[in-house]
RNA sequence: GGGCCCGUAGCUCAGCGGCAGAGCAGGGGACUUUUAAUCCUCGUGUCGUGGGUUCGAAUCCCACCGGGCCCUCCA
């Protein structure tokens, strides 16, 4: 966790932290690592006394180059068109495909506690003319850009190539155009049919002014121009961009040599993989960002992103594992330690800052948050499967006093998450189910346990959970059977496992005739002489 | 062709020059009413492999092996 505080200690003066994203489709959990890192850096800077602005941009004039999320009839029409100009594929009121996907992603930010001071959309910025000076500089220095691409990335453009992408006046595509001449005010562009394999240009060409939104800068130049336009001082980026000779190196060089400005401090970060593999929404691997928040509230989710240094890959697989409960446990453990309660084992270095930065609200009183009662997620996941359990009452008992409104909110949040977890993620062993037929496990019961079950079945009067519980203990005691083995017999007979929920409540929730029949069946099974 | 990350206990990982660690899982034990709670207890693992540096290496250097990702189209 020291990484953010160290960064904050290293810089001088006001800071502008920036990131931007191309809204090309549905995003997965891994995509949230960037925004969380951005937010933690911002919080660390502010904690260190730096005046800090957090910006988040949407590169929505980028060309559509993935057809996965387009309807079949839209593919031919939309490939190569700026994302901001493609109609939303979902009829839910967004102005464009870009707005839809960007908004779904951005909506998650606030819930996660990531609150940029300003969002900007490139489709809004270009028409204002704010990018014009950079477009002009890029065109004037086209030879520098070409030289730099060759030198830094070994990319060889033709001598006539100019670093501007015109939005074709005829077909509206931006991914298919190339500029070959610049006269100081206008550029000559061609919308070529075969410039790229993934989209087909219309063949138009002509002289046009590249200013005021008629054209955009290619990605690497746009990135560097954003740094100049907004005065960006720190910008993390994913390792896909940070690789040697890759995008970041190109943009750094462009900033220095074309726009004559030092690039921002880079904080390269690794990906968040699932089962050791890259997440890919289109391949159905990994969980969509908007889905994971259903099962992971901000604190455990931020804990996942924060506890690991940015340059280390995180492996996270919520499906069929206890990864989710463990994140809750880990966060709770940090909180306990911060609150001065005794915790088992060693604590990570800087555990208090991990806890503090994991909180959703940057202004929260973190000591009060640490002191708050947080029910164990695993315990809740278990309790909600117990018929008739009054969970809020049980939690108040566990805490030793009534829950505060804030604690009740935490409880409700966790209950909702626990239900989602049990439905969609939990391993089979976390789910319990009353067995329709006699479980095999019941065959292993010994004579004493069978006698206990038989005795328990003698009285078939209706009982409440408490009464069942009392009856279990009394019956076990009268037969000289330790309570533990008595319960084990019941779990074997009904659940087919060695442990379970408070048995009394479980039995009380079931049909009385069924209970008695099962008890007798289990008591009789296997004891007959062979 | 190039770059980055990882390889330490069953799992997830910490340690990054000074006696191999934690959590979880698992084993054992305690408990006549929180029985998947709570408490106690149990870890010799070629620290991926081979060299090197050092009084001393999981830790630094080199090479290699394995896993993963990325760049060399576009963004």
């Amino acid at each position: 966790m020291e990484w953010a505080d160290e960064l904050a200690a290293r810089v001088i003066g006001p800071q502008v932290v920036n990131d931007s994203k191309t809204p090309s489709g549905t995003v997965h959990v891994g995509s949230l690592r960037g925004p969380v890192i951005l937010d933690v850096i911002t919080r660390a800077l502010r904690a260190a006394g730096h005046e800090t602005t957090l910006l988040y941009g949407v590169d929505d004039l980028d060309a559509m180059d993935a057809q996965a999320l387009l309807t079949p009839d839209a593919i031919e029409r939309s490939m190569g068109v700026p994302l901001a100009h493609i109609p939303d594929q979902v009829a839910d009121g967004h102005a464009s495909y870009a707005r839809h996907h960007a908004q779904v992603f951005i909506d998650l930010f606030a819930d996660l506690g990531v609150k940029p001071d300003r969002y900007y959309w490139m489709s809004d910025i270009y028409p204002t003319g704010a990018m014009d000076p950079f477009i002009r500089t890029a065109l004037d220095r086209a030879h520098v850009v070409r030289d730099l691409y060759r030198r830094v990335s070994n990319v060889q453009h033709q001598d006539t190539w100019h670093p501007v992408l015109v939005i074709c006046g005829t077909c509206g595509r931006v991914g298919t155009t190339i500029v070959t001449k610049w006269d100081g005010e206008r550029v000559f562009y061609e919308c070529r049919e075969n410039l790229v394999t993934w989209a087909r240009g219309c063949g138009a060409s002509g002289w046009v002014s590249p200013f005021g939104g008629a054209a955009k800068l290619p990605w690497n130049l746009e990135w560097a121009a954003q740094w100049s336009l907004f005065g960006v001082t720190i910008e993390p980026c994913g390792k896909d961009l940070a690789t040697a000779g890759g995008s970041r190196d190109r943009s750094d060089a462009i900033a220095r040599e074309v726009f004559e400005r030092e690039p921002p401090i880079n904080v390269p970060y690794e990906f968040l993989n699932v089962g050791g593999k890259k997440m890919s929404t289109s391949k159905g691997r990994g969980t969509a960002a908007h889905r994971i928040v259903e099962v992971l509230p901000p604190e455990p989710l931020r804990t996942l992103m924060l506890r690991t240094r940015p340059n280390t890959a995180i492996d996270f697989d919520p499906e069929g594992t206890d990864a989710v409960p463990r994140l809750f446990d880990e966060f709770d453990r940090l909180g306990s330690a911060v609150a001065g309660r005794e915790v088992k084992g060693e604590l990570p270095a800087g555990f208090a800052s991990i806890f503090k930065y994991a909180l959703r609200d940057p202004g929260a009183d973190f000591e009060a948050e640490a002191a708050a009662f947080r029910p164990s997620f695993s315990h809740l996941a278990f309790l909600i499967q117990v018929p008739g359990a009054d969970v809020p009452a049980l939690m108040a008992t566990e805490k030793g006093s009534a829950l505060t409104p804030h604690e009740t909110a935490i409880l409700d949040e966790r209950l909702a998450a626990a239900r989602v977890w049990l439905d969609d993620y939990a391993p089979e062993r976390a789910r319990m189910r009353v067995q329709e037929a006699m479980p095999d496990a019941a065959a292993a019961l010994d004579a004493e346990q069978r006698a206990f079950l038989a005795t328990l079945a003698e009285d078939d009067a209706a009982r409440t959970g408490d009464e069942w519980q009392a009856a279990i203990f009394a019956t076990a005691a009268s037969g000289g059977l330790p309570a533990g083995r008595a319960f084990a017999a019941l779990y074997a007979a009904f659940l087919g496992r060695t442990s379970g929920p408070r048995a009394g409540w479980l039995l009380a929730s079931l049909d009385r005739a069924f209970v008695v029949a099962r008890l007798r069946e289990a008591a009789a099974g296997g004891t007959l002489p062979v």
Side-chain angles (χ1 to χ4, degrees):
Chain A
M1 193 55 240
E2 295 83 4
W3 57 269
D5 292 323
E6 279 167 12
L7 174 64
R10 208 171 78 214
V11 300
I12 298 165
Q15 299 295 315
V16 177
V17 184
N18 178 65
D19 192 13
S20 63
K21 177 157 180 61
T22 303
S24 48
T26 306
V27 297
H28 53 71
V29 211
S31 310
L32 293 174
R33 188 171 186 183
V36 171
I37 284 173
L38 216 60
D39 175 66
V40 171
I41 289 172
T42 301
R43 291 189 190 188
L45 287 168
R46 287 175 178 157
H50 296 287
E51 184 187 319
T52 304
T53 308
L54 176 58
L55 299 175
Y56 199 89
V58 183
D59 299 325
D60 61 342
L61 275 188
D62 292 354
M64 167 63 91
D65 63 359
Q67 49 182 261
L69 290 153
L70 290 173
T71 54
D73 64 308
I75 290 176
E76 175 70 17
R77 199 169 59 239
S78 300
M79 292 298 284
V81 172
L83 294 162
H85 299 168
I86 297 172
D88 194 355
Q89 309 289 298
V90 184
D92 61 353
H94 292 105
S96 68
Y97 180 94
R99 294 275 162 176
H100 176 93
H101 289 288
Q103 201 61 51
V104 168
F105 191 49
I106 284 171
D107 283 347
L108 295 169
F109 287 18
D111 292 338
L112 259 183
V114 180
K115 292 177 180 157
D117 297 291
R118 183 187 159 200
Y119 287 100
Y120 60 90
W121 302 72
M122 293 315 291
S123 63
D124 292 337
I125 301 270
Y126 276 100
T128 66
M131 295 295 280
D132 291 352
F134 303 104
I135 292 175
R136 182 177 291 280
T137 301
L139 286 167
D140 286 345
R141 302 191 179 183
H143 60 287
V144 177
V145 177
R146 289 192 295 264
D147 172 60
L148 172 161
Y149 265 64
R150 181 162 14 87
R151 196 158 27 84
V152 178
S153 308
N154 203 24
V155 173
Q156 179 74 61
H157 284 295
Q158 298 221 317
D159 290 345
T160 55
W161 178 87
H162 284 66
V164 159
L165 303 171
V166 169
I167 299 170
C168 180
T170 304
C171 71
R173 287 188 180 84
V174 71
T176 53
T177 67
I178 181 168
V179 166
T180 54
K181 294 173 196 156
W182 159 240
D183 69 4
E185 285 307 322
R186 297 178 307 158
V187 294
F188 183 79
Y189 86 98
E190 299 166 43
C191 184
R192 293 185 184 166
E193 287 193 17
N194 299 314
L195 184 69
V196 293
T197 56
W198 43 272
R200 195 173 177 80
C202 67
S205 66
W207 285 92
V208 296
S209 165
F211 302 122
K216 75 183 290 287
L217 291 168
W219 162 243
N220 288 120
L221 287 101
E222 186 171 287
W223 200 3
Q226 286 171 352
W227 296 338
S228 290
L229 182 61
F230 300 119
V232 179
T233 58
I234 298 176
E235 178 152 348
C237 71
K239 70 102 157 281
D240 53 335
L241 306 173
T243 191
S247 233
R248 182 62 179 238
D249 278 358
R250 274 200 300 274
S251 289
D252 281 357
I254 289 164
R256 291 194 182 99
E257 299 176 35
V258 180
F259 300 132
E260 300 186 336
R261 178 189 188 281
E262 260 310 289
I265 295 173
N266 188 12
V267 182
Y269 57 88
E270 263 281 355
F271 287 167
L272 194 154
N273 301 318
V274 57
K277 303 232 182 210
K278 184 191 178 186
M279 291 197 185
S280 168
T281 312
S282 59
K283 290 177 187 164
R285 193 164 54 224
T287 310
H290 66 274
R291 292 264 291 123
I292 203 70
V293 298
E294 297 169 352
V295 73
L296 277 179
E299 283 80 11
L301 185 53
R302 291 175 64 104
T303 299
L304 169 69
M305 313 275 187
L306 296 184
R307 62 176 176 177
T308 309
R309 293 186 306 276
N311 68 343
T312 302
I314 297 175
D315 199 5
F316 176 66
D317 187 1
E319 310 266 356
T321 70
D322 58 357
V324 165
R326 269 156 54 175
L327 277 176
F328 279 91
D329 291 345
E330 184 163 347
F331 174 75
D332 292 351
R333 185 163 170 270
L334 294 173
S336 291
V338 170
R341 292 191 291 273
E342 205 168 317
V343 297
K344 286 199 288 183
E346 295 171 0
L347 290 161
F351 69 90
S353 32
I354 299 177
F355 177 79
K356 190 167 70 174
Y357 288 132
L359 294 173
R360 165 182 4 202
D361 177 6
D365 176 348
F366 82 97
E367 290 178 339
E369 285 286 350
F373 173 76
R374 289 186 159 77
S376 153
F377 181 85
S378 312
H379 196 196
L380 290 181
F382 157 68
L383 287 175
I384 59 177
Q385 300 180 81
V386 179
D390 182 348
V391 178
L394 288 170
M395 289 305 109
T397 305
E398 192 172 302
K399 183 196 169 193
S401 62
L403 302 192
T404 65
H406 181 54
E407 288 167 340
T408 301
I410 292 172
L411 172 61
D412 289 344
E413 182 177 73
R414 291 189 171 199
L415 285 173
R419 287 188 189 99
V420 173
W421 185 67
L422 286 169
D423 285 346
D424 298 344
Y425 299 92
E428 206 42 53
R429 67 186 134 81
R431 302 189 176 105
M432 56 182 195
R433 198 166 38 231
V434 174
Q435 303 294 305
E436 297 295 328
M438 178 65 71
D440 295 339
L445 296 176
D446 64 28
E448 287 174 312
Q449 288 175 309
R450 291 177 198 287
F452 158 76
L453 295 175
T455 308
L456 199 58
E458 282 171 9
D459 180 358
D460 64 354
R463 292 188 177 108
T464 65
D466 279 333
E467 286 162 358
W468 266 114
Q469 198 76 0
I472 292 165
F473 278 103
T475 305
S478 71
L481 188 67
R485 288 178 53 216
F487 280 99
L490 290 170
Y491 298 134
F494 286 86
L495 303 176
R497 47 205 306 169
T498 56
S499 58
R502 295 183 69 193
W505 295 80
L506 178 65
L507 297 185
S509 73
L510 300 172
D511 177 73
R512 211 189 329 149
F514 169 78
V515 171
V516 171
R518 174 62 57 86
L519 286 173
R520 287 184 178 142
E521 190 183 350
T527 56
L528 300 172
V530 182

